[in-house]
Amino acid sequence: MENRNNITEFILLGLSQKKEIEILCFLLFLLCYTAILIGNLLVTISITCSQLMKQPMYFFLSFLSLSDLCYTSTVIPKLITDLLAAKKTISYNGCMTQLFTMHFFGGIEVFLLTGMAYDRYVAICKPLRYTLIMTRQKCVAVITACCAGGFLHSFGQFLLAIFLPYCGPNEIDHYFCDVYPLLKLACTDTTRIGLLVVANSGLMGLVTFVVLLISYAVILYTVRSYSVENLRKALSTCSSHITVVVLFFTPLFFIYIRPATTLPEDKVFALFYTIIAPMLNPLIYTLRNLEMKNAIKKLWCHIAVREEMN
């Protein structure tokens, strides 16, 4: 492929061209990003500063909140500032950096959700061996594998995008840099590359989702003979995770498991996995979790005591 590139910056068309809608979106997304920062930081700090960090489920949850913080911070701050900008531009290097980091942290989250499902499988299906299987070394290995998987995924997307020739136009019909919108700007046939993108993002999402379905099918099969009380406890530990999985994977499937094309609805669906899901995750994991509520209360009490002493 001839590698020619006359583009030094891209223009992001954003969510809307109407100023009134942009101002409304600015206020809304600013509130959402503030909620994301507060909620995920609160979960991460509460777990880290309590005995919950010793439990694998909360160990993974702290890293999920941390990955949510990093993931959203690659997209939302740029989106918020662009909503008030007269011209929404991003440099070529900035675009490629955003694409890499977004898919890196997004990939970590996908694999981490799978690791959390494995933890629930062991806890429910093999409770007597849980502490022997889910050791701290095993948990660290899972986190390391998630980071490695996220890197391989994002590096693949990055290579596919960076070697494309861009010779104009330079308008990206999105609010962040992603592979599908960039394929439209490449001045070459992108049919084969589009298939590679689908294989990378779509197949990865599909395989991990199938693994999640199998793990929960095994869990449901295992708990079928439990008493009503034990069944309720077992399912309550999984309900939050299932909700997060559905919120995160549904829009991903719509965008990435299809031929490499862009649709007007892509921006709306992208809002679900870049803003809405990371904002709701702390609420989903804390509202029905007594241990998390107690950890947050202890954190606030500790802060209040320190302020009184000072």
Side-chain angles (χ1 to χ4, degrees), residues 186-237:
C187 45
T188 187
D189 181 23
T190 60
T191 304
R192 292 182 179 178
I193 297 177
L195 292 175
L196 291 175
V197 173
V198 173
N200 187 347
S201 292
L203 192 59
M204 181 194 76
L206 182 61
V207 170
T208 53
F209 188 70
V210 169
V211 171
L212 288 168
L213 288 179
I214 292 174
S215 67
Y216 280 108
V218 173
I219 289 173
L220 290 174
Y221 181 80
T222 302
V223 302
R224 73 191 189 285
S225 59
Y226 284 17
S227 65
V228 175
E229 181 64 21
N230 289 333
L231 178 63
R232 186 189 63 79
K233 289 181 180 179
L235 294 179
S236 66
T237 63

Side-chain angles (χ1 to χ4, degrees), residues 52-63:
L52 294 180
M53 194 65 175
K54 296 180 180 179
Q55 300 183 37
M57 182 177 75
Y58 296 104
F59 178 78
F60 291 137
L61 179 57
S62 66
F63 278 94

Side-chain angles (χ1 to χ4, degrees), residues 4 30 45-46 77 79 87 90 106 115 154 176 203 255 263 277 284:
R4 59 190 187 278
L30 182 62
I45 296 172
S46 298
L79 168 62
K87 189 177 182 182
I90 185 170
S154 63
F176 62 88
L203 192 59
I255 293 177
L263 299 175
I284 294 170

Side-chain angles (χ1 to χ4, degrees), residues 79-128:
L79 168 62
I80 291 174
T81 54
D82 281 348
L83 287 169
L84 297 182
K87 189 177 182 182
K88 307 170 182 60
T89 61
I90 185 170
S91 66
Y92 176 84
N93 291 336
C95 182
M96 295 302 157
T97 300
Q98 186 183 60
L99 183 146
F100 177 84
T101 54
M102 190 198 73
H103 280 275
F104 174 60
F105 292 114
I108 290 176
E109 185 150 345
V110 168
F111 292 119
L112 190 53
L113 288 171
T114 309
M116 294 173 74
Y118 174 72
D119 171 69
R120 291 299 84 205
Y121 159 75
V122 176
I124 295 173
C125 299
K126 301 180 180 181
L128 298 179

